[in-house]
Amino acid sequence: TVDESELLTVPDGWKEPAFTREDNPRGLLEESSFATLFPKYREAYLKECWPLVQKALSEHFVNATLDLIEGSMTVTTTKKTFDPYAIIRARDLIKLLARSVPFEQAVRILQDDVACDIIKIGSLVRKRESFIKRRGRLLGPKGSTLKALELLTNCYIMVQGNTVSALGPFSGLKEVRKVVLDTMKNIHPIYNIKTLMIKRELAKDPELRSQNWERFLPKFKRKNLKKRKEPKKKNIKKEYTPFPPPQPESQIDKELASGEYFLKESQRKRKRLEEIKAKQADAIKKRQEERNKAFIPPKEKPVVKAKKASTEKKIDIEAIKEKVKNAKKKKLGALPVEEVKLKIAADEKKKKKK
């Protein structure tokens, strides 16, 4: 009987056996080829290192050709090629060389436990200025952030133009992609680096390997989020109705409603004068009230009569007499000369007896 957990976990230091000619003795049926273009500034470097590229690929029986006129690199399989995945690795090799990765690092892609990932970051940010800032944040001061990321993920990372090329183990490539995409989303890479450092320490403990790590990982919150300013005047849209608004009343309609329309001119004038006089009377009344406020006396606080202290107190005569006796007994100042001499003599006698 074997534990199911032991069957699911991969033992430490285990490696998949290499693919040999015995696994595929008849070779491949058809020829496969891949081509990629490279920029003009890479031409001189590729011309120098191309013999080394051909030598590395010839070990896997893959041909490589460099076309300087068209500016392209091509890799093709041969009749001797037995590994069907060799052409995919050769394709990744020429892609990395085109993306400014040096040959010493790019040739590692031909190993079994190494893979590559080319992350396109050019279209993730709209503004060009923001894109340059965030790409610089990924590099860090003097490349320190990129170096820390390389050490934590065991990957080689190359930031060039609008792409980020990463080369290393599959687990590391997954972390690199996450960090790069988060950086382009305006999340600083230092937060992800801290999380990776904690994960690295937790992986060393064999007891914690099978447990959930969420309780140990830090949770970063955005603090400096400014709320969108709301306008002072809000235009609230009214509900749509097919009927037009009611016709506003004219002056004649108002006069008809109040009965003023049927009055004579003299009666109208008299009515207006009465209204004016009523308004004036109200205004005079209010003004008079304001003036009279100054003559209104403030409310006085009620006087609280102080309670007479009780003069009748019991005096303890005996206690006073005792205090006087004790004071007489106390000797103030230095002792007289005679008493000092007697005291010294008594002390000397005690010493002699001892």
Side-chain angles (χ1 to χ4, degrees):
T1 56
V2 184
D3 253 356
E4 284 185 8
S5 59
E6 286 181 13
L7 293 170
L8 292 169
T9 54
V10 178
D12 293 334
W14 182 84
K15 281 187 178 181
E16 196 174 342
F19 194 87
T20 56
R21 188 173 281 281
E22 291 171 7
D23 297 317
N24 186 17
R26 294 183 182 181
L28 306 174
L29 290 171
E30 290 188 13
E31 186 183 287
S32 302
S33 65
F34 289 101
T36 186
L37 299 170
F38 60 86
K40 186 76 175 173
Y41 63 85
R42 290 291 289 168
E43 191 177 316
Y45 180 79
L46 290 171
K47 205 174 178 181
E48 284 179 17
C49 72
W50 198 250
L52 296 168
V53 174
Q54 285 178 324
K55 189 182 177 183
L57 290 173
S58 64
E59 290 174 10
H60 298 270
F61 304 102
V62 177
N63 285 336
T65 54
L66 177 68
D67 193 346
L68 296 172
I69 297 162
E70 289 183 4
S72 66
M73 293 178 280
T74 313
V75 285
T76 53
T77 55
T78 59
K79 288 179 180 180
K80 290 182 180 179
T81 310
F82 61 88
D83 187 0
Y85 201 73
I87 189 66
I88 304 296
R89 286 181 184 149
R91 179 202 65 184
D92 291 340
L93 173 64
I94 59 173
K95 270 189 181 179
L96 291 167
L97 289 169
R99 293 309 316 148
S100 299
V101 177
F103 170 75
E104 291 79 13
Q105 292 291 340
V107 79
R108 284 171 55 210
I109 196 68
L110 300 173
Q111 296 171 17
D112 285 341
D113 56 345
V114 179
C116 77
D117 190 9
I118 295 166
I119 307 152
K120 291 178 182 179
I121 57 172
S123 60
L124 296 174
V125 185
R126 285 182 182 179
K127 290 182 181 178
R128 185 70 184 168
E129 291 174 2
S130 301
F131 170 72
I132 291 161
K133 277 184 183 178
R134 289 173 194 182
R135 189 179 63 182
R137 205 178 288 164
L138 190 64
L139 293 165
K142 295 179 182 178
S144 57
T145 308
L146 198 69
K147 188 70 181 172
L149 202 60
E150 284 180 349
L151 290 168
L152 289 165
T153 56
N154 297 322
C155 293
Y156 172 81
I157 305 161
M158 182 75 182
V159 181
Q160 176 70 24
N162 294 333
T163 56
V164 177
S165 306
L167 187 78
F170 290 99
S171 57
L173 291 174
K174 191 180 175 183
E175 296 293 343
V176 170
R177 178 169 272 274
K178 186 183 177 296
V179 174
V180 170
L181 294 176
D182 282 354
T183 307
M184 289 295 122
K185 288 174 187 173
N186 204 19
I187 297 165
H188 204 281
I190 196 70
Y191 298 129
N192 286 309
I193 286 167
K194 280 182 180 178
T195 309
L196 287 170
M197 285 170 77
I198 293 161
K199 280 182 180 177
R200 195 179 188 180
E201 291 300 316
L202 291 167
K204 290 176 184 177
D205 194 346
E207 291 178 5
L208 293 168
R209 277 186 185 179
S210 58
Q211 292 180 15
N212 191 8
W213 291 350
E214 278 186 16
R215 55 188 174 155
F216 302 109
L217 301 175
K219 291 175 183 178
F220 301 104
K221 292 179 182 178
R222 289 189 178 186
K223 292 178 182 178
N224 300 331
L225 278 176
K226 290 181 180 179
K227 288 182 179 178
R228 185 176 170 272
K229 288 181 180 179
E230 293 182 356
K232 288 179 181 178
K233 292 179 181 179
K234 290 183 179 179
N235 297 325
I236 299 162
K237 287 184 177 180
K238 294 175 183 178
E239 288 183 9
Y240 173 74
T241 53
F243 308 105
Q247 191 76 14
E249 287 185 347
S250 64
Q251 191 67 25
I252 296 162
D253 292 335
K254 288 175 184 177
E255 287 177 1
L256 285 165
S258 62
E260 195 181 339
Y261 183 77
F262 303 102
L263 295 172
K264 291 177 183 179
E265 191 63 36
S266 59
Q267 288 174 335
R268 284 182 190 176
K269 279 182 181 180
R270 199 183 302 123
K271 195 179 180 182
R272 283 174 203 159
L273 284 167
E274 283 173 4
E275 286 174 2
I276 291 162
K277 280 178 182 178
K279 281 181 183 178
Q280 284 176 353
D282 288 337
I284 289 160
K285 194 179 179 181
K286 283 179 183 177
R287 209 180 298 128
Q288 198 65 37
E289 284 174 3
E290 288 291 326
R291 284 176 183 174
N292 291 338
K293 276 181 185 177
F295 300 103
I296 297 164
K299 289 181 180 179
E300 292 180 1
K301 291 178 182 178
V303 180
V304 180
K305 290 181 180 180
K307 291 179 181 179
K308 289 181 180 179
S310 58
T311 51
E312 295 176 2
K313 284 184 181 179
K314 291 180 181 179
I315 299 163
D316 196 354
I317 297 163
E318 290 179 4
I320 293 163
K321 282 179 180 179
E322 281 180 13
K323 281 182 182 178
V324 171
K325 281 179 184 179
N326 291 333
K328 282 179 180 178
K329 284 177 185 178
K330 285 181 182 178
K331 291 178 180 179
L332 300 169
L335 293 168
V337 179
E338 292 174 2
E339 285 184 17
V340 170
K341 284 179 181 178
L342 289 167
K343 210 170 189 180
I344 291 163
D347 290 339
E348 284 177 359
K349 282 178 183 176
K350 283 179 183 178
K351 283 178 183 178
K352 283 176 183 179
K353 283 177 183 179
K354 285 177 182 179

